[in-house]
Amino acid sequence: MSPFTGSAPRTETWRHLTYTVDAHGVATVTLARPEKLNALTFGAYADLRDLLAELAREKSVRALVLTGQGRGFCSGGDVDEIIGATLAMDTAQLLDFNRMTGQVVRAVREAPFPVIAAVHGVAAGAGAVLALAADFRVADPSARFAFLFTKVGLSGGDMGAAYLLPRVVGLGHATRLLMLGDPVRAPEAERIGLLSEVTEEGRADEAALALAHRLAEGPALAYAQTKALLTAELDMPLAAAVEMDAATQALLMNGEDYAEFHAAFTEKRPPKWQGR
């Protein structure tokens, strides 16, 4: 994402989610419709897309936690406000909507900072894909994932799920989860590699925030390039991947953080990472 902006001012208020950032550059984005299990609306999708784009340009955030208020992470698209509404849309409108949901996933994957999903309770449909798109998924034992798209008569490959899920859990597990839509509870999700960490009951947000602070204190540019390479090299042959690795390392070796590591090692002190 280019850091250059045009005439549009920074958004001061987000109507469909809550956003905070602390002094360490750790942002928390909270889906805030607890009475609806944080079901997504058209506005919530658009706010997520636009907020992530702004944060990517500003480069002030070093890690982001995505969480949900109340009893669950996110129950997916709101049945009345989205599924009901889409029945009255024509093909062009439906294409615009589906492209927007995919843009949210791309924004998560392309953000130049780590994104940690803190999951408790249900992560269903689009909520499951949002968590899947994150770099880390931290969940407590109440977490359950369900890719429900076929259960409403749609393709299981929604919002990039058919691209991302096989790369996280393998084609066999992804086929089962996307075709059948059955719930996957935390123990199985951890076993098949869908979860990065399982916490004690009620501790997912705390653990996700701790991980975010650990990442925020680290070499931000190195993390950003690692994330970019993990995404880009999924579809590359080995020769192209190692060439991209070489070019990336050559650029980072000219950076301040690389020199800072050597200075810190020589002086027997912890590095002071600048993200440059």
Side-chain angles (χ1 to χ4, degrees), residues 9 56 159 161 166 213 241 247 261:
M159 296 172 63
H213 278 103
F261 166 76

Side-chain angles (χ1 to χ4, degrees), residues 9-147:
R10 185 181 189 276
T11 306
E12 297 298 332
T13 303
W14 299 96
R15 294 175 50 199
H16 304 283
L17 48 83
T18 65
Y19 165 71
T20 61
V21 61
D22 66 20
H24 304 281
V26 173
T28 301
V29 174
T30 306
L31 304 175
R33 297 182 78 209
E35 73 284 358
K36 293 287 189 78
L37 282 174
N38 301 314
L40 297 167
T41 62
F42 296 115
Y45 278 117
D47 269 5
L48 281 169
R49 176 199 62 196
D50 296 344
L51 172 59
L52 288 163
E54 285 194 13
L55 297 181
R57 288 193 299 268
E58 290 175 359
K59 299 187 181 299
S60 58
V61 166
R62 297 174 72 94
L64 184 146
V65 174
L66 179 62
T67 186
Q69 281 184 8
R71 296 180 294 113
F73 175 74
C74 176
S75 59
D78 189 285
V79 173
D80 294 322
E81 294 193 37
I82 287 190
I83 296 179
T86 53
L87 292 174
M89 292 181 176
D90 62 26
T91 301
Q93 292 171 315
L94 291 168
L95 185 56
D96 284 341
F97 165 65
N98 283 286
R99 282 175 171 162
M100 176 175 68
T101 66
Q103 287 164 359
V104 175
V105 170
R106 285 189 59 186
V108 174
R109 291 304 316 142
E110 294 173 4
F113 43 76
V115 177
I116 304 108
V119 182
H120 67 286
V122 66
V129 183
L130 283 179
L132 174 65
D135 302 292
F136 300 88
R137 284 159 296 283
V138 176
D140 78 7
S142 72
R144 61 189 187 279
F145 295 82
F147 297 86

Side-chain angles (χ1 to χ4, degrees), residues 154-204:
L154 297 176
S155 163
D158 195 28
M159 296 172 63
Y163 177 91
L164 291 170
L165 193 59
R167 289 162 167 81
V168 173
V169 303
L171 180 60
H173 290 306
T175 301
R176 172 172 59 93
L177 299 184
L178 294 183
M179 282 198 179
L180 300 179
D182 291 340
V184 179
R185 298 187 180 275
E188 183 187 2
E190 183 181 34
R191 178 181 64 81
I192 65 177
L194 185 55
L195 290 179
S196 311
E197 178 184 351
V198 177
T199 71
E200 295 178 3
E201 190 75 34
R203 303 288 293 275

